[in-house]
């Protein structure tokens, strides 16, 4: 019978984490801020490795076959021709495109006429290619192994493999974070990502490069996921948005810094070594547990009470709140944990497979996965229009960075005021309208209007993606937050990989790609209405907390009310609760028997006899007999 009473009490403590537990450990104090700052650095290191893939797979603006003298007549003397004349005789010229990328002229061996009237055969390149230096790098994945012409398909395949690694990492390591904890998931991911990052520098072939990048992508996903969850679980509701968006600015700074680093490195192995260095600098997190501790919220949600008590004591001590002596009010919290969970309480872990038995959590996970998939996938439609406006690589690259920074600022200024669901809905509407206008009116609009619509669509699609991740982390329960957020982020990677699928088919399905994502953006407007609002609300910890999240009306009569008046249940009258009484008795007994109190209340075995006590006892017996 006692075991049955422990479960609801523990669940009640989990729901009151911000009000009852978080406040007693110092709230969002000095130590929490320090840990959050150290959780931003992994975001910078991961984004350097993610965006470096753009420079690894960048195709040079101009390249052509290396002339082969064996394809020329035996009497031909190259010294009689200039450099450009020699290229014109050996390489076909394509109207509007310059020298052919993939073909050479082959002349009859005994001919002496090199005019255009002489019959010439076109053959594929025989001695390789000459490249004009790529943006930032002089050699990359493309020029190292000549992935052009017939081997062009290996370039988008590399990006697909890289994104596949991120998808697997989000799903597997997200679940691992729910079983082993945020700290161990982070340490395992950062160690393997460093090892694989060094191995990528030593790649000897394109196949080895693909496999290593796939594996490294999986580990980088674990680093990003575990650090994102850990920093949000250490914050109170007013600071969660700020903490998440600052990590977004770290990503923007990494993307802004990368082109200059690529110019200095020049070769892709050196660039890979440089972007791996920040990951290596995170390895001291193994030794310094205080800079990335385990989340006490996750420890309590999974009923790991001994570890949770030690973690709460560490946070309270470092935040300047003493929980060492039971004469202080805060120590009653630890006594309540003992009484609520019992001495023989076992850890209780959950997995994302339990979403099959839920209704609200599963719905929220599906909707936010859908919105993130749209936000990442539709960006390809807008950036392709930017390429049509200007072929300069740096124009589209820095414009994308600029819109990413504006998206972070937009979220910071609006989400705490108007709510998560309202701004997510606005971002989806503007993204869908921009896409539909470009899809229907591109041939009737001037170049400037196309550029404006593309920039606006890119801005709000990035805001849609960022807010979907943040929203998902807030509404998913602590016990399955890693696995659920991993599923949402994996859907975003599927959207990023969709652009590479178009390039794999030489953009033959671009129009259909644009139509599908524009339609999905309109459809997402309806699905967002089914989401709850998490503004100013504590994070859900148990599966029950996640199921109790309700969908508020779109327009609230008061900003601090999320339920309709007729649906509000009146507060129950206070009544006797045996759990509270037993908890009070247990805490009092521990307080009276603890050895390290500054004083000790002892009860003598025999009460001392007071003067006249025997006479009083005889009088009492006589009085009793008289009454009888």
């Amino acid at each position: 019978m006692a075991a049955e009473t422990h479960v609801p009490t523990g669940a009640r403590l989990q729901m009151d984490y911000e009000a009852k537990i978080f406040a007693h450990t110092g709230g969002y104090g000095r130590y929490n801020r320090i840990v959050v700052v150290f959780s931003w650095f992994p975001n910078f290191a991961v984004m350097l490795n993610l965006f470096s893939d753009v420079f690894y797979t960048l195709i040079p603006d101009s390249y052509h076959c290396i002339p082969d003298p064996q394809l020329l007549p035996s009497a031909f003397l190259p010294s009689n021709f200039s450099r450009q004349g020699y290229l014109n005789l050996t390489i076909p010229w394509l109207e509007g495109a310059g020298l052919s990328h993939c073909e050479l002229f082959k002349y009859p061996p005994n001919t002496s006429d090199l005019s255009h009237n002489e019959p010439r055969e076109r053959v594929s390149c025989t001695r390789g290619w000459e490249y004009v230096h790529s943006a930032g790098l002089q050699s990359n994945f493309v020029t190292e192994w000549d992935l052009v012409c017939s081997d062009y398909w290996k370039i988008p395949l590399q990006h697909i493999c890289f994104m596949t690694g991120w998808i697997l990492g989000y799903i597997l390591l997200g679940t691992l974070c729910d079983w082993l904890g945020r700290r161990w998931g982070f340490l395992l991911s950062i160690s393997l990502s460093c090892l694989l990052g060094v191995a990528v520098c030593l790649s000897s072939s394109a196949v080895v490069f693909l496999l290593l990048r796939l594996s490294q992508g999986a580990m980088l996903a674990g680093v990003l996921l575990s650090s994102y969850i850990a920093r949000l679980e250490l914050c109170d509701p007013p600071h969660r948005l700020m903490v998440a968006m600052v990590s977004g600015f770290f990503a923007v700074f990494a993307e802004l810094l990368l082109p200059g680093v690529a110019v200095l490195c020049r070769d892709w192995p050196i660039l890979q070594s440089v972007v791996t260095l920040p990951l290596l600098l995170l390895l001291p997190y193994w030794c310094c547990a205080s800079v990335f501790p385990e989340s006490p919220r996750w420890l309590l949600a999974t009923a790991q009470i001994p570890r949770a008590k030690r973690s709460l004591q560490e946070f309270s001590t470092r935040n300047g709140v003493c929980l060492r002596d039971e004469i202080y009010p805060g120590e009653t919290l630890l006594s309540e944990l003992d009484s609520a969970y019992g001495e023989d309480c076992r850890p209780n872990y959950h997995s994302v497979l339990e979403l099959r038995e839920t209704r609200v959590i599963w719905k929220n996970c599906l909707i936010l996965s859908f919105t993130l998939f749209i936000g990442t996938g539709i960006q390809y439609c807008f950036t392709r229009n930017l390429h049509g406006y200007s072929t300069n690589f740096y124009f589209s690259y820095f414009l994308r960075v600029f819109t990413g920074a504006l998206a972070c600022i937009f979220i910071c200024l609006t989400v705490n005021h108007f709510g998560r669901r309202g701004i997510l809905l606005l971002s989806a509407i503007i993204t869908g309208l921009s896409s539909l206008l470009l899809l229907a009116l591109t041939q009737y609009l001037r170049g400037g209007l196309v550029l404006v619509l593309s920039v606006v669509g890119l801005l709000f699609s990035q805001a849609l993606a960022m807010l979907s991740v943040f929203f998902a982390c807030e509404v998913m329960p602590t016990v399955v937050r890693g696995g659920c957020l991993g599923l949402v982020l994996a859907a975003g990677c599927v959207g990023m990989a969709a652009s590479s699928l178009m390039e794999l088919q030489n953009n033959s399905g671009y129009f259909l790609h644009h139509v599908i994502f524009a339609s999905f953006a309109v459809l997402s407007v309806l699905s967002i209405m089914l989401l709850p609002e998490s503004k100013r609300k504590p994070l859900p910890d148990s599966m029950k907390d996640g199921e109790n999240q309700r969908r508020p009306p779109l327009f609230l009569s008061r900003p601090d009310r999320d339920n309709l008046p007729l649906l509000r249940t009146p507060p129950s009258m206070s009544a006797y609760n045996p759990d509270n009484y037993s908890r009070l008795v247990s805490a009092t007994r521990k307080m009276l028997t603890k050895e390290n109190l500054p004083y000790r209340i002892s009860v003598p075995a025999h009460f001392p006899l007071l003067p006249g006590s025997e006479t009083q006892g005889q009088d009492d017996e006589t009085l009793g007999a008289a009454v009888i």
Side-chain angles (χ1 to χ4, degrees), residues 336-582:
E336 289 180 1
L337 291 176
D338 290 333
S339 302
Y341 289 91
E343 298 179 356
D344 56 346
C345 181
R346 296 182 179 179
N348 186 17
Y349 303 105
H350 299 263
S351 81
V352 292
L353 297 178
E354 298 181 26
L355 295 183
R356 297 175 299 176
E357 303 173 359
T358 65
R359 182 176 61 89
V360 177
I361 303 174
W362 178 84
K363 176 196 67 178
N364 295 339
C365 184
L366 180 63
I367 293 174
L368 292 170
S369 299
F370 184 53
T371 57
L372 183 58
F373 169 73
I374 296 170
T376 57
I378 204 171
Q379 292 178 24
Y380 173 72
C381 305
F382 300 123
T383 54
R384 194 170 185 270
N385 288 324
L386 296 179
H387 292 317
Y389 186 82
S390 175
T391 58
N392 189 352
F393 166 78
Y394 289 111
F395 172 78
S396 58
Y397 182 88
F398 285 110
L399 190 57
R400 180 185 176 86
V401 177
F402 177 70
T403 54
L406 287 181
C408 288
I409 296 174
F410 169 74
I411 292 175
C412 291
L413 296 178
T414 58
V415 168
N416 268 343
H417 183 69
F418 297 102
R420 279 68 163 150
R421 193 179 67 151
I423 300 303
L424 189 69
L425 182 63
L426 177 65
S427 301
I429 291 174
I430 297 180
T431 300
L433 286 177
S434 302
S435 180
L436 289 175
L437 289 175
L438 287 173
L439 188 63
L441 303 176
T442 299
Q443 57 182 345
Y444 305 105
L445 297 176
R446 296 183 179 180
L449 292 177
V450 172
L451 178 62
V452 170
L453 286 175
S454 300
V455 172
V456 171
L458 187 60
L459 168 64
F460 282 93
S461 62
Q462 288 179 309
L464 180 66
M466 294 180 191
L467 191 53
S468 297
V469 177
F470 175 68
F471 203 172
C473 196
E474 282 195 323
V475 300
M476 296 303 160
T478 300
V479 291
V480 291
R481 183 167 291 126
C484 291
L485 185 60
L487 292 177
V488 174
L489 290 170
C493 290
V494 174
M496 295 174 66
S499 61
S500 297
L501 291 176
M502 295 300 101
E503 294 177 359
L504 194 61
Q505 301 175 357
N506 293 323
N507 292 320
S508 58
Y510 167 72
F511 181 78
L512 180 61
H513 176 93
H514 199 165
V515 170
I516 291 175
F517 275 93
S519 304
F520 283 170
V522 176
L523 182 61
S524 68
V525 174
L526 302 177
S527 61
I528 291 173
M529 300 292 293
L530 302 176
L531 292 172
E533 180 55 64
S534 59
K535 183 181 68 173
R536 293 191 300 269
K537 292 184 178 179
L539 297 177
D541 288 322
S542 63
M543 301 293 286
K544 183 179 179 181
D545 294 343
E547 284 293 291
N548 287 337
Q549 298 177 107
R550 295 185 178 182
R551 175 181 61 87
L554 181 60
F555 302 102
L556 301 177
S557 58
R558 286 208 312 261
D560 58 345
R561 186 174 70 182
D562 293 330
N563 298 321
L564 294 176
L566 296 178
L567 298 180
R568 179 178 295 179
T569 57
S572 59
M573 299 298 293
S574 60
Y576 169 73
N577 190 344
D579 293 338
N580 294 338
Y581 179 75
S582 62

Side-chain angles (χ1 to χ4, degrees), residues 7-216:
V7 176
T9 307
R12 186 162 56 250
L13 284 173
Q14 290 175 9
M15 286 196 296
D16 298 338
Y17 182 87
E18 266 83 8
K20 195 169 186 179
I21 299 176
F22 190 70
H24 283 300
T25 60
Y28 189 61
R30 180 174 59 89
Y31 180 55
N32 294 63
R33 291 185 175 91
I34 293 175
V35 174
V36 165
V37 169
F38 277 98
S39 71
W40 288 332
F41 298 136
N43 205 56
F44 173 80
V46 170
M47 289 304 156
L48 276 180
N49 285 268
L50 174 61
F51 294 124
S52 63
D53 192 68
V54 177
F55 294 92
Y56 292 156
T57 59
L58 183 62
I59 302 176
D61 295 332
S62 177
Y63 60 94
H64 57 80
C65 301
I66 298 177
D68 188 357
Q70 295 182 357
L71 301 179
L72 298 175
S74 57
F76 177 77
L77 296 176
S79 58
N80 296 334
F81 297 89
S82 64
R83 171 66 179 174
Q84 187 61 40
Y86 180 59
L87 294 177
N88 291 335
L89 289 175
T90 55
I91 302 175
W93 183 269
L94 302 179
E95 292 295 334
L99 295 175
S100 174
H101 295 316
C102 306
E103 292 181 330
L104 288 172
F105 280 134
K106 182 179 180 180
Y107 291 86
N110 297 324
T111 185
S112 59
D113 185 11
L114 299 179
S115 64
H116 297 288
N117 297 326
E118 183 70 20
R120 295 172 294 184
E121 181 183 357
R122 294 191 177 191
V123 296
S124 300
C125 299
T126 57
R127 299 183 60 185
W129 287 261
E130 290 183 359
Y131 302 95
V132 175
H133 299 323
S134 303
L137 293 174
Q138 291 187 354
S139 67
N140 60 5
F141 174 70
V142 178
T143 61
E144 180 77 14
W145 292 291
D146 292 329
L147 301 183
V148 290
C149 298
S150 61
D151 288 333
Y152 165 79
W153 59 274
K154 294 181 181 179
I155 302 174
L157 179 64
Q158 188 275 336
H159 184 70
I160 293 174
C161 290
F162 192 44
M163 288 296 103
T164 302
W166 282 77
I167 294 171
L168 296 177
Y170 280 136
I171 296 175
L172 299 179
L173 294 175
T175 302
L176 197 66
C177 286
D178 291 331
W179 289 347
L180 299 181
R182 286 52 168 137
R183 172 174 169 78
W184 282 107
F186 172 81
L187 294 178
L188 177 64
S189 301
I190 199 66
S191 302
L192 294 179
S193 62
C194 291
L195 181 63
L196 292 169
V198 174
V200 170
C201 302
L202 306 176
S203 301
S204 58
S205 65
V207 176
V208 175
F209 184 85
L210 291 176
L211 295 177
L212 290 176
R213 289 289 283 174
L214 187 148
S215 303
Q216 189 193 20

